[in-house]
Amino acid sequence: MNPQLLFWIPAALRLSLVLIASGLTWYFFGPVIGLAVAIVCLLALIVIQLNYLYQLSGWLEHPDSEKLPDGWGAWTDIFSRLYRMRRDDERNRSELTEWLARFRQAMSLLPDGVVIMDDVLFLEWCNPAAERHLGLNNGRDKGMRVTNLIRSPDFIDYIILGHYEQPLTLSLKDRKLIVQIIPFENRRQILVTHDATESERIEMMRRDFIANASHELRTPLTVINGFLEIAQAQPDLDQAIRMSHLKLMIEQGQRMQNLVEDMLTLTRLESIDYPLRPEHVNIHNLLEQIRQEAEALSGGRHEISLTIDGPDIEGSADELRSAFSNLVSNAVRYTPIHGRIDIKWQNTAAGPQFSVKDTGIGMRPEHLVRLTERFYRVDKSRSRETQGTGLGLAIVKHVLLRHGAVLAIESQPDVGSTFSVQFKTENLPA
Ligand code: ADP
C-alpha cells in the first residue's frame, strides 16, 4: 500500500476515535466531561508519540539493529524502515571491510610498490614492496611529505618537472627502480615503483657477454685477415713463410671454433628447454679417456696420475666429460714443464668427489671467487697462448649446478691449485 496512506489512515482513525469518544460523553454527560475526555485522549496520544520519539532518539544515539523498539501505528512502519536501512548499512559495511582487507592483502603480495599520496605529496598509505624499495614505513611515515622521505635529487627533479607521463629510473640503496607518479581522483596521486635491479643485471651481463665475445672473435679474425691481405698483395711469397702464415691462420681458426663451441655449450646448458637426462656414468671409462686426452695435450711434459676409488654415478656423461676435461686441461695448460697433475675420484661421507691437483702457476686468493665468470682470466696472454676461451670454468659451473654438485678451489701462486667437485649421495645410482 501507498506509504502516505499507511501513515494517514491510522492517524485519522485514532483522531476519529477520540472525537467519537468525546462526542458520546458530551452527549450523555454534558460538555465539561466531553471536553475533559477529549483533552485526556489527546494528551494520551501526545504522550505515546513523545515516548516513541524518546525511544527513537535513544536508538539513534546508539544504533543497534537488535535493540530497535517495537512501534505502534505509523511508528511500526518508521521503525521497520529504519531497521531495514540499518541492516543494509551493516551488510554494506561488512562487505566494504572484507573488500578492503582483500585489497590490502593483494597489495601486500604485489611485487611492485604502491604509495598513495595526497595532491601535495603527503603519504597516506604504502604497501610492503614500497616500504622495501623506498625505505618507507607505512605506520611511522604516514602524513609526512614523500620528498622528505625519499631524498634523491633525481626524484626531487622528477617532482619539480612534473613530467609524470614518463617513468623515472632511480638508483636507490643498491637498487635500480623504475618509478612513476599517476594522478588519480582530484586530490590524490599514486607512486608506483618497480624493482628492475635483476633485469638490469641480466641486461648488463648480456651486453658484457656480447662485448667480450666480439672482442674474442675480433683478434683471430684480424690475424686471419692480415695474412690473407699479405697473400693477396704478395702472390709469390716464399713457400716457407706462406706455410707458417697458413699454420697461424689454422690456429686462429681453431681458436674461433673453440670459442663458438664453448658459447653454444654454455647457451645449451643454460636453456630450460634442455633438462638434464640422468644416465649411468661409467666413471672408470670416462676418467681413463680424460687422462689419455691430458697425456696428449701435455705431450710428455708433465707427470699425470689417475686414482679411482669410488662408485659410478648418475648424470649426463657428456656434460661431466666436458666439465672434468676442462678442469684437467686447465691443470695441464697452467702447469709448467715437469709439473705433477693428480686426478682423483674417491668416495667421501658426503658423496663421491672428483679432484685435480696440479703443481702449476697457481693464483692469488682474490681471483678465486671470480674464476667461473665468463671470460674471466687471471693471465689473459697465457690463456690465449694455450688456446683458452675463458669460458671453460663457466661451463664447469653450469654442469655442476645441473648435477647439484659443488666446486671448491684451493690455490697458491707458484705452488699449485686443487679443483674439487663434491657430488651428493643423491648422485649415486638408485
Ligand atoms: P681459460 O680458457 O682461459 O683457461 P677457464 O674458464 O678455463 O678459461 O679458466 C679461467 C681462468 O682461471 C684462466 O684464464 C686461468 O687464469 C685460471 N685458471 C684455471 N685453471 C687454473 C689452474 N689449474 N691453475 C692456474 N690458473 C687457472
Side-chain angles (χ1 to χ4, degrees):
M1 204 198 277
N2 187 333
Q4 300 259 337
L5 286 179
L6 262 178
F7 179 82
W8 285 114
I9 290 175
L13 268 173
R14 256 173 268 138
L15 283 174
S16 315
L17 278 175
V18 170
L19 273 177
I20 291 168
S22 44
L24 283 174
T25 41
W26 186 311
Y27 179 73
F28 288 113
F29 305 106
V32 178
I33 297 186
L35 271 174
V37 166
I39 290 167
V40 168
C41 286
L42 285 173
L43 275 175
L45 279 178
I46 290 169
V47 168
I48 290 170
Q49 303 305 322
L50 281 175
N51 179 43
Y52 281 130
L53 272 175
Y54 173 74
Q55 287 189 40
L56 179 65
S57 98
W59 183 81
L60 287 173
E61 193 92 350
H62 304 288
D64 181 345
S65 56
E66 300 306 315
K67 290 188 190 140
L68 198 73
D70 285 330
W72 178 65
W75 286 100
T76 319
D77 185 47
I78 292 171
F79 285 146
S80 73
R81 273 202 239 174
L82 275 172
Y83 177 74
R84 271 201 307 275
M85 273 165 65
R86 177 73 193 154
R87 214 186 39 204
D88 290 352
D89 185 46
E90 273 172 5
R91 204 181 39 231
N92 288 345
R93 206 181 273 250
S94 84
E95 268 176 19
L96 212 66
T97 317
E98 216 175 282
W99 199 87
L100 199 70
R102 250 184 286 149
F103 170 79
R104 287 209 167 176
Q105 197 194 8
M107 282 290 180
S108 67
L109 294 173
L110 220 61
D112 288 346
V114 179
V115 181
I116 299 181
M117 311 169 293
D118 66 11
D119 54 343
V120 276
L121 303 170
F122 283 96
L123 189 138
E124 291 188 349
W125 181 84
C126 68
N127 71 347
E131 291 186 318
R132 279 195 307 278
H133 292 171
L134 303 166
L136 302 176
N137 182 312
N138 191 32
R140 186 195 59 205
D141 300 333
K142 198 175 275 179
M144 290 181 72
R145 202 148 200 269
V146 170
T147 39
N148 291 338
L149 299 166
I150 309 167
R151 293 194 159 273
S152 151
D154 289 346
F155 182 68
I156 310 276
D157 287 349
Y158 180 65
I159 300 283
I160 292 170
L161 290 173
H163 296 318
Y164 296 156
E165 60 288 348
Q166 292 291 335
L168 164 77
T169 305
L170 201 62
S171 295
L172 214 65
K173 293 190 199 139
D174 303 332
R175 279 185 209 265
K176 266 264 172 323
L177 295 175
I178 296 176
V179 171
Q180 189 163 16
I181 291 182
I182 305 158
F184 82 109
E185 293 178 345
N186 256 350
R187 308 175 53 94
R188 286 211 165 66
Q189 324 194 53
I190 303 185
L191 171 72
V192 188
T193 62
H194 173 74
D195 190 347
T197 318
E198 187 57 16
S199 46
E200 186 78 9
R201 194 184 64 82
I202 292 170
E203 177 57 21
M204 207 165 85
M205 267 174 61
R206 195 184 66 84
R207 277 200 302 265
D208 282 357
F209 183 71
I210 293 174
N212 282 324
S214 319
H215 178 75
E216 293 291 330
L217 285 168
R218 200 171 51 202
T219 317
L221 267 176
T222 313
V223 175
I224 293 173
N225 278 340
F227 287 135
L228 286 174
E229 276 167 22
I230 293 173
Q232 194 184 33
Q234 302 172 34
D236 41 338
L237 202 68
D238 182 73
Q239 182 67 5
I241 297 174
R242 191 196 293 270
M243 287 315 283
S244 87
H245 285 183
L246 276 175
K247 186 170 167 279
L248 286 168
M249 281 201 281
I250 289 169
E251 265 175 34
Q252 296 303 321
Q254 185 61 48
R255 194 173 142 192
M256 285 198 289
Q257 191 167 343
N258 291 348
L259 191 70
V260 171
E261 269 166 18
D262 277 359
M263 288 200 292
L264 286 174
T265 307
L266 257 183
T267 311
R268 209 174 52 234
L269 287 172
E270 280 179 338
S271 154
I272 35 171
D273 307 333
Y274 182 66
L276 184 73
R277 291 219 178 80
E279 55 188 319
H280 183 98
V281 182
N282 184 323
I283 289 293
H284 190 276
N285 288 354
L286 188 126
L287 292 184
E288 187 50 45
Q289 196 185 344
I290 284 172
R291 189 187 65 83
Q292 283 173 20
E293 281 170 16
E295 294 282 10
L297 185 65
S298 159
R301 286 171 294 147
H302 307 91
E303 204 178 311
I304 301 173
S305 79
L306 169 65
T307 314
I308 300 178
D309 186 15
D312 286 350
I313 55 166
E314 292 259 320
S316 158
D318 282 344
E319 290 182 23
L320 290 174
R321 185 180 301 112
S322 156
F324 293 168
S325 140
N326 262 309
L327 292 175
V328 173
S329 73
N330 276 355
V332 174
R333 288 164 46 228
Y334 298 107
T335 300
I337 190 161
H338 304 314
R340 262 194 75 81
I341 291 151
D342 296 316
I343 309 166
K344 273 192 193 150
W345 178 261
Q346 52 197 349
N347 209 4
T348 70
Q353 190 189 60
F354 170 80
S355 65
V356 193
K357 183 169 188 238
D358 64 53
T359 56
I361 58 171
M363 290 160 278
R364 287 201 306 278
E366 66 265 26
H367 294 294
L368 302 186
V369 282
R370 299 199 56 194
L371 280 193
T372 54
E373 283 175 24
R374 296 151 184 218
F375 298 112
Y376 186 82
R377 291 157 165 134
V378 177
D379 181 347
K380 284 199 173 54
S381 58
R382 178 148 195 149
S383 163
R384 292 213 179 95
E385 267 167 36
T386 56
Q387 293 282 335
T389 60
L391 294 175
L393 290 180
I395 292 176
V396 171
K397 180 177 110 176
H398 274 93
V399 170
L400 301 189
L401 210 65
R402 282 160 66 83
H403 286 79
V406 179
L407 177 71
I409 311 168
E410 284 168 38
S411 192
Q412 235 182 304
D414 303 323
V415 175
S417 314
T418 305
F419 286 75
S420 326
V421 178
Q422 183 66 57
F423 290 90
K424 295 186 183 143
T425 44
E426 287 94 77
N427 297 106
L428 293 169

